[in-house]
Short mmCIF file of all heavy atoms in Angstrom, two decimals:
data_model
loop_
_atom_site.label_atom_id
_atom_site.label_comp_id
_atom_site.label_asym_id
_atom_site.label_seq_id
_atom_site.Cartn_x
_atom_site.Cartn_y
_atom_site.Cartn_z
N GLN A 125 -2.24 1.05 7.45
CA GLN A 125 -2.29 2.35 6.66
C GLN A 125 -2.22 3.49 7.69
O GLN A 125 -3.02 3.66 8.51
CB GLN A 125 -3.53 2.46 5.78
CG GLN A 125 -3.52 3.73 4.91
CD GLN A 125 -4.72 3.70 3.92
OE1 GLN A 125 -5.71 3.04 4.15
NE2 GLN A 125 -4.54 4.50 2.89
N ALA A 126 -1.15 4.33 7.49
CA ALA A 126 -0.94 5.47 8.35
C ALA A 126 -1.19 6.77 7.62
O ALA A 126 -0.90 6.80 6.38
CB ALA A 126 0.50 5.41 8.88
N PHE A 127 -1.69 7.77 8.29
CA PHE A 127 -1.95 9.02 7.68
C PHE A 127 -1.25 10.19 8.37
O PHE A 127 -1.11 10.17 9.63
CB PHE A 127 -3.54 9.32 7.71
CG PHE A 127 -4.30 8.35 7.02
CD1 PHE A 127 -4.83 7.23 7.66
CD2 PHE A 127 -4.64 8.55 5.63
CE1 PHE A 127 -5.67 6.33 7.01
CE2 PHE A 127 -5.41 7.66 4.97
CZ PHE A 127 -5.93 6.52 5.67
N TRP A 128 -0.73 11.16 7.57
CA TRP A 128 -0.09 12.34 8.07
C TRP A 128 -0.63 13.52 7.31
O TRP A 128 -1.29 13.36 6.27
CB TRP A 128 1.43 12.25 7.87
CG TRP A 128 2.13 11.18 8.68
CD1 TRP A 128 2.58 11.23 9.93
CD2 TRP A 128 2.44 9.84 8.21
NE1 TRP A 128 3.18 10.01 10.32
CE2 TRP A 128 3.10 9.18 9.24
CE3 TRP A 128 2.19 9.16 6.99
CZ2 TRP A 128 3.54 7.89 9.12
CZ3 TRP A 128 2.64 7.89 6.87
CH2 TRP A 128 3.29 7.23 7.93
N ASP A 129 -0.28 14.75 7.80
CA ASP A 129 -0.52 15.96 7.08
C ASP A 129 -2.00 16.13 6.66
O ASP A 129 -2.29 16.33 5.52
CB ASP A 129 0.38 16.00 5.80
CG ASP A 129 0.43 17.37 5.17
OD1 ASP A 129 0.11 18.39 5.83
OD2 ASP A 129 0.84 17.46 3.99
N ASP A 130 -2.89 15.95 7.65
CA ASP A 130 -4.34 16.03 7.35
C ASP A 130 -4.74 15.10 6.25
O ASP A 130 -5.54 15.43 5.37
CB ASP A 130 -4.72 17.44 7.01
CG ASP A 130 -4.58 18.43 8.19
OD1 ASP A 130 -4.78 17.90 9.38
OD2 ASP A 130 -4.32 19.61 8.04
N LYS A 131 -4.18 13.91 6.20
CA LYS A 131 -4.52 12.82 5.34
C LYS A 131 -4.05 13.13 3.87
O LYS A 131 -4.48 12.46 2.95
CB LYS A 131 -6.00 12.52 5.37
CG LYS A 131 -6.47 11.96 6.68
CD LYS A 131 -7.94 11.49 6.59
CE LYS A 131 -8.32 10.92 7.94
NZ LYS A 131 -9.79 10.48 7.96
N ARG A 132 -3.15 14.08 3.71
CA ARG A 132 -2.62 14.33 2.38
C ARG A 132 -1.44 13.39 2.10
O ARG A 132 -0.96 13.34 0.94
CB ARG A 132 -2.16 15.81 2.27
CG ARG A 132 -3.37 16.78 2.29
CD ARG A 132 -2.87 18.26 2.30
NE ARG A 132 -2.05 18.52 1.13
CZ ARG A 132 -2.54 18.90 -0.07
NH1 ARG A 132 -3.86 18.88 -0.25
NH2 ARG A 132 -1.74 19.15 -1.11
N ARG A 133 -0.99 12.70 3.12
CA ARG A 133 0.08 11.74 2.91
C ARG A 133 -0.27 10.41 3.64
O ARG A 133 -0.78 10.53 4.81
CB ARG A 133 1.41 12.20 3.40
CG ARG A 133 2.59 11.22 3.25
CD ARG A 133 3.93 11.86 3.51
NE ARG A 133 4.09 12.24 4.91
CZ ARG A 133 4.04 13.51 5.38
NH1 ARG A 133 3.79 14.46 4.49
NH2 ARG A 133 4.27 13.83 6.59
N ASN A 134 -0.14 9.32 2.98
CA ASN A 134 -0.45 8.01 3.60
C ASN A 134 0.55 6.95 3.20
O ASN A 134 1.03 6.98 2.08
CB ASN A 134 -1.94 7.59 3.36
CG ASN A 134 -2.11 7.04 2.02
OD1 ASN A 134 -1.98 5.79 1.75
ND2 ASN A 134 -2.48 7.86 1.05
N LEU A 135 0.69 6.00 4.07
CA LEU A 135 1.65 4.92 3.79
C LEU A 135 0.94 3.57 4.20
O LEU A 135 0.35 3.43 5.23
CB LEU A 135 2.91 5.06 4.72
CG LEU A 135 3.92 3.86 4.74
CD1 LEU A 135 4.55 3.71 3.37
CD2 LEU A 135 4.96 4.09 5.83
N ILE A 136 1.12 2.60 3.24
CA ILE A 136 0.58 1.27 3.54
C ILE A 136 1.72 0.28 3.54
O ILE A 136 2.56 0.28 2.61
CB ILE A 136 -0.45 0.83 2.37
CG1 ILE A 136 -1.64 1.78 2.33
CG2 ILE A 136 -0.87 -0.63 2.59
CD1 ILE A 136 -2.62 1.43 1.26
N LEU A 137 1.81 -0.50 4.60
CA LEU A 137 2.73 -1.59 4.75
C LEU A 137 1.96 -2.84 4.71
O LEU A 137 0.97 -3.02 5.53
CB LEU A 137 3.55 -1.46 5.98
CG LEU A 137 4.32 -0.11 6.15
CD1 LEU A 137 5.04 -0.02 7.54
CD2 LEU A 137 5.48 -0.02 5.08
N GLU A 138 2.37 -3.88 3.98
CA GLU A 138 1.50 -5.08 3.85
C GLU A 138 2.39 -6.29 3.70
O GLU A 138 3.47 -6.30 3.07
CB GLU A 138 0.59 -4.92 2.63
CG GLU A 138 -0.36 -6.12 2.44
CD GLU A 138 -1.29 -5.89 1.27
OE1 GLU A 138 -2.27 -5.13 1.40
OE2 GLU A 138 -1.05 -6.49 0.19
N ILE A 139 1.90 -7.41 4.29
CA ILE A 139 2.43 -8.76 4.12
C ILE A 139 1.29 -9.57 3.58
O ILE A 139 0.17 -9.59 4.07
CB ILE A 139 2.92 -9.37 5.43
CG1 ILE A 139 4.04 -8.52 6.07
CG2 ILE A 139 3.53 -10.75 5.18
CD1 ILE A 139 4.47 -8.94 7.40
N ALA A 140 1.53 -10.32 2.53
CA ALA A 140 0.47 -11.14 1.88
C ALA A 140 0.99 -12.43 1.40
O ALA A 140 2.22 -12.58 1.14
CB ALA A 140 -0.21 -10.36 0.73
N GLY A 141 0.16 -13.44 1.17
CA GLY A 141 0.56 -14.69 0.71
C GLY A 141 -0.60 -15.55 0.23
O GLY A 141 -1.79 -15.27 0.58
N ARG A 142 -0.31 -16.53 -0.55
CA ARG A 142 -1.30 -17.44 -1.00
C ARG A 142 -0.68 -18.88 -1.07
O ARG A 142 0.51 -19.06 -1.39
CB ARG A 142 -1.89 -17.11 -2.42
CG ARG A 142 -0.85 -17.03 -3.51
CD ARG A 142 -1.55 -16.81 -4.87
NE ARG A 142 -2.12 -17.98 -5.41
CZ ARG A 142 -3.15 -17.99 -6.25
NH1 ARG A 142 -3.64 -16.83 -6.65
NH2 ARG A 142 -3.64 -19.17 -6.75
N HIS A 143 -1.49 -19.86 -0.76
CA HIS A 143 -1.05 -21.30 -0.70
C HIS A 143 -2.01 -22.08 -1.65
O HIS A 143 -3.25 -22.04 -1.44
CB HIS A 143 -1.03 -21.81 0.66
CG HIS A 143 -0.78 -23.26 0.78
ND1 HIS A 143 0.33 -23.92 0.31
CD2 HIS A 143 -1.61 -24.27 1.26
CE1 HIS A 143 0.23 -25.21 0.51
NE2 HIS A 143 -0.93 -25.43 1.10
N ASP A 144 -1.43 -22.88 -2.50
CA ASP A 144 -2.14 -23.69 -3.39
C ASP A 144 -2.59 -24.97 -2.66
O ASP A 144 -1.81 -25.70 -2.06
CB ASP A 144 -1.34 -24.07 -4.62
CG ASP A 144 -2.05 -25.10 -5.52
OD1 ASP A 144 -3.11 -24.76 -6.05
OD2 ASP A 144 -1.44 -26.26 -5.65
N LEU A 145 -3.93 -25.30 -2.76
CA LEU A 145 -4.48 -26.50 -2.04
C LEU A 145 -4.61 -27.62 -2.98
O LEU A 145 -4.87 -28.78 -2.60
CB LEU A 145 -5.84 -26.13 -1.42
CG LEU A 145 -5.81 -25.13 -0.38
CD1 LEU A 145 -7.26 -24.80 0.06
CD2 LEU A 145 -5.02 -25.56 0.83
N SER A 146 -4.49 -27.42 -4.34
CA SER A 146 -4.75 -28.43 -5.30
C SER A 146 -3.56 -29.28 -5.65
O SER A 146 -3.64 -30.35 -6.20
CB SER A 146 -5.34 -27.81 -6.58
OG SER A 146 -4.32 -26.98 -7.23
N GLY A 147 -2.37 -28.75 -5.34
CA GLY A 147 -1.10 -29.44 -5.79
C GLY A 147 -0.67 -29.11 -7.15
O GLY A 147 0.38 -29.64 -7.59
N ASN A 148 -1.44 -28.24 -7.86
CA ASN A 148 -1.05 -27.94 -9.26
C ASN A 148 -0.47 -26.53 -9.42
O ASN A 148 -0.04 -26.20 -10.48
CB ASN A 148 -2.27 -28.08 -10.14
CG ASN A 148 -2.85 -29.42 -10.16
OD1 ASN A 148 -2.10 -30.43 -10.16
ND2 ASN A 148 -4.14 -29.58 -10.14
N GLY A 149 -0.50 -25.72 -8.38
CA GLY A 149 -0.07 -24.34 -8.48
C GLY A 149 1.20 -24.03 -7.66
O GLY A 149 1.93 -24.98 -7.32
N SER A 150 1.42 -22.79 -7.42
CA SER A 150 2.63 -22.35 -6.76
C SER A 150 2.25 -21.45 -5.56
O SER A 150 1.28 -20.78 -5.60
CB SER A 150 3.56 -21.59 -7.70
OG SER A 150 4.68 -21.05 -7.11
N ASP A 151 3.07 -21.51 -4.52
CA ASP A 151 2.87 -20.71 -3.31
C ASP A 151 3.73 -19.43 -3.38
O ASP A 151 4.77 -19.44 -3.97
CB ASP A 151 3.18 -21.44 -2.07
CG ASP A 151 2.35 -22.76 -1.93
OD1 ASP A 151 1.26 -22.79 -2.46
OD2 ASP A 151 2.89 -23.72 -1.35
N SER A 152 3.19 -18.38 -2.80
CA SER A 152 3.92 -17.11 -2.78
C SER A 152 3.78 -16.38 -1.42
O SER A 152 2.70 -16.46 -0.84
CB SER A 152 3.46 -16.16 -3.93
OG SER A 152 3.71 -16.78 -5.20
N LEU A 153 4.75 -15.70 -1.03
CA LEU A 153 4.76 -14.82 0.14
C LEU A 153 5.35 -13.51 -0.28
O LEU A 153 6.50 -13.42 -0.87
CB LEU A 153 5.55 -15.45 1.31
CG LEU A 153 5.57 -14.67 2.62
CD1 LEU A 153 4.16 -14.54 3.17
CD2 LEU A 153 6.55 -15.30 3.57
N GLY A 154 4.70 -12.33 0.02
CA GLY A 154 5.09 -11.07 -0.50
C GLY A 154 5.15 -10.01 0.58
O GLY A 154 4.35 -10.08 1.57
N PHE A 155 5.98 -8.99 0.36
CA PHE A 155 6.03 -7.83 1.24
C PHE A 155 5.99 -6.61 0.35
O PHE A 155 6.65 -6.48 -0.66
CB PHE A 155 7.39 -7.83 2.01
CG PHE A 155 7.64 -9.08 2.75
CD1 PHE A 155 8.25 -10.22 2.09
CD2 PHE A 155 7.26 -9.23 4.10
CE1 PHE A 155 8.51 -11.36 2.77
CE2 PHE A 155 7.52 -10.46 4.73
CZ PHE A 155 8.15 -11.50 4.08
N GLY A 156 5.06 -5.64 0.74
CA GLY A 156 4.90 -4.51 -0.12
C GLY A 156 4.74 -3.22 0.65
O GLY A 156 4.32 -3.21 1.84
N ALA A 157 5.04 -2.08 0.03
CA ALA A 157 4.78 -0.78 0.59
C ALA A 157 4.31 0.13 -0.45
O ALA A 157 4.71 0.06 -1.60
CB ALA A 157 6.06 -0.31 1.28
N GLN A 158 3.40 1.14 -0.08
CA GLN A 158 2.90 2.14 -0.94
C GLN A 158 2.80 3.50 -0.22
O GLN A 158 2.22 3.51 0.82
CB GLN A 158 1.54 1.75 -1.48
CG GLN A 158 0.94 2.78 -2.46
CD GLN A 158 -0.50 2.46 -2.73
OE1 GLN A 158 -1.42 2.83 -2.07
NE2 GLN A 158 -0.74 1.81 -3.92
N LEU A 159 3.42 4.49 -0.80
CA LEU A 159 3.42 5.85 -0.19
C LEU A 159 2.70 6.75 -1.19
O LEU A 159 3.06 6.78 -2.41
CB LEU A 159 4.80 6.30 0.11
CG LEU A 159 4.93 7.78 0.60
CD1 LEU A 159 4.29 7.96 1.96
CD2 LEU A 159 6.39 8.18 0.65
N GLN A 160 1.75 7.52 -0.76
CA GLN A 160 1.07 8.53 -1.60
C GLN A 160 1.14 9.91 -0.89
O GLN A 160 0.95 9.98 0.30
CB GLN A 160 -0.43 8.14 -1.82
CG GLN A 160 -0.59 6.83 -2.62
CD GLN A 160 -2.03 6.48 -2.85
OE1 GLN A 160 -2.86 6.53 -1.89
NE2 GLN A 160 -2.39 6.12 -4.05
N GLN A 161 1.32 10.88 -1.74
CA GLN A 161 1.47 12.28 -1.22
C GLN A 161 0.73 13.25 -2.18
O GLN A 161 1.01 13.24 -3.39
CB GLN A 161 2.93 12.72 -1.13
CG GLN A 161 3.19 14.13 -0.84
CD GLN A 161 2.75 14.51 0.61
OE1 GLN A 161 3.27 13.92 1.55
NE2 GLN A 161 1.85 15.41 0.71
N ALA A 162 -0.18 14.00 -1.63
CA ALA A 162 -0.84 15.03 -2.40
C ALA A 162 -0.02 16.28 -2.45
O ALA A 162 0.57 16.64 -1.44
CB ALA A 162 -2.21 15.38 -1.79
N VAL A 163 0.01 16.91 -3.61
CA VAL A 163 0.77 18.17 -3.81
C VAL A 163 -0.12 19.19 -4.42
O VAL A 163 -0.62 19.00 -5.59
CB VAL A 163 2.01 17.92 -4.78
CG1 VAL A 163 2.78 19.29 -4.95
CG2 VAL A 163 2.93 16.78 -4.24
N GLY A 164 -0.43 20.18 -3.67
CA GLY A 164 -1.35 21.24 -4.17
C GLY A 164 -2.75 20.62 -4.30
O GLY A 164 -3.13 19.79 -3.49
N GLN A 165 -3.51 21.13 -5.24
CA GLN A 165 -4.89 20.64 -5.45
C GLN A 165 -5.04 19.75 -6.68
O GLN A 165 -6.23 19.25 -6.85
CB GLN A 165 -5.80 21.85 -5.61
CG GLN A 165 -5.89 22.71 -4.36
CD GLN A 165 -6.80 23.87 -4.55
OE1 GLN A 165 -6.81 24.60 -5.60
NE2 GLN A 165 -7.63 24.18 -3.58
N HIS A 166 -4.02 19.48 -7.43
CA HIS A 166 -4.19 18.73 -8.65
C HIS A 166 -3.26 17.53 -8.80
O HIS A 166 -3.43 16.76 -9.75
CB HIS A 166 -4.00 19.65 -9.89
CG HIS A 166 -4.96 20.75 -9.90
ND1 HIS A 166 -6.27 20.63 -10.39
CD2 HIS A 166 -4.76 22.07 -9.62
CE1 HIS A 166 -6.81 21.80 -10.36
NE2 HIS A 166 -6.02 22.69 -9.89
N ILE A 167 -2.27 17.37 -7.90
CA ILE A 167 -1.18 16.39 -8.17
C ILE A 167 -1.12 15.40 -7.03
O ILE A 167 -1.26 15.72 -5.82
CB ILE A 167 0.19 17.09 -8.31
CG1 ILE A 167 0.17 17.99 -9.55
CG2 ILE A 167 1.33 16.11 -8.38
CD1 ILE A 167 1.39 18.84 -9.67
N GLN A 168 -0.92 14.12 -7.40
CA GLN A 168 -0.69 13.09 -6.38
C GLN A 168 0.52 12.32 -6.81
O GLN A 168 0.63 11.86 -7.93
CB GLN A 168 -1.90 12.18 -6.24
CG GLN A 168 -1.61 10.98 -5.29
CD GLN A 168 -2.85 10.10 -5.06
OE1 GLN A 168 -3.74 10.46 -4.33
NE2 GLN A 168 -2.88 8.96 -5.72
N LEU A 169 1.49 12.10 -5.86
CA LEU A 169 2.64 11.27 -6.15
C LEU A 169 2.49 9.90 -5.45
O LEU A 169 2.03 9.84 -4.31
CB LEU A 169 3.90 11.95 -5.60
CG LEU A 169 4.18 13.34 -6.14
CD1 LEU A 169 5.40 13.91 -5.52
CD2 LEU A 169 4.34 13.35 -7.69
#
C-alpha cells in the first residue's frame, strides 16, 4: 500500500491465493489493485 498527497491518495497492489486441502474444492490465484483518492472534504473516489 503506497501513499501520496499527504495520504489523500493510496494504491494497493495484491497477489492472493487459496489451495483446497480436502480434495473437494477449487484452487484460485488472483491479482488485484485498488486506488483511492480524496477530493475536497466530502468525496472519495
Side-chain angles (χ1 to χ4, degrees):
Q125 185 173 21
F127 298 92
W128 295 273
D129 193 18
D130 292 328
K131 296 186 178 180
R132 292 175 59 83
R133 179 170 66 255
N134 76 87
L135 171 68
I136 297 177
L137 302 174
E138 183 177 284
I139 303 174
R142 60 174 283 157
H143 169 62
D144 171 63
L145 298 174
S146 66
N148 298 321
S150 177
D151 303 331
S152 297
L153 180 67
F155 308 86
Q158 180 189 83
L159 175 65
Q160 293 181 317
Q161 173 69 60
V163 180
Q165 294 179 315
H166 300 282
I167 296 173
Q168 176 178 282
L169 304 178

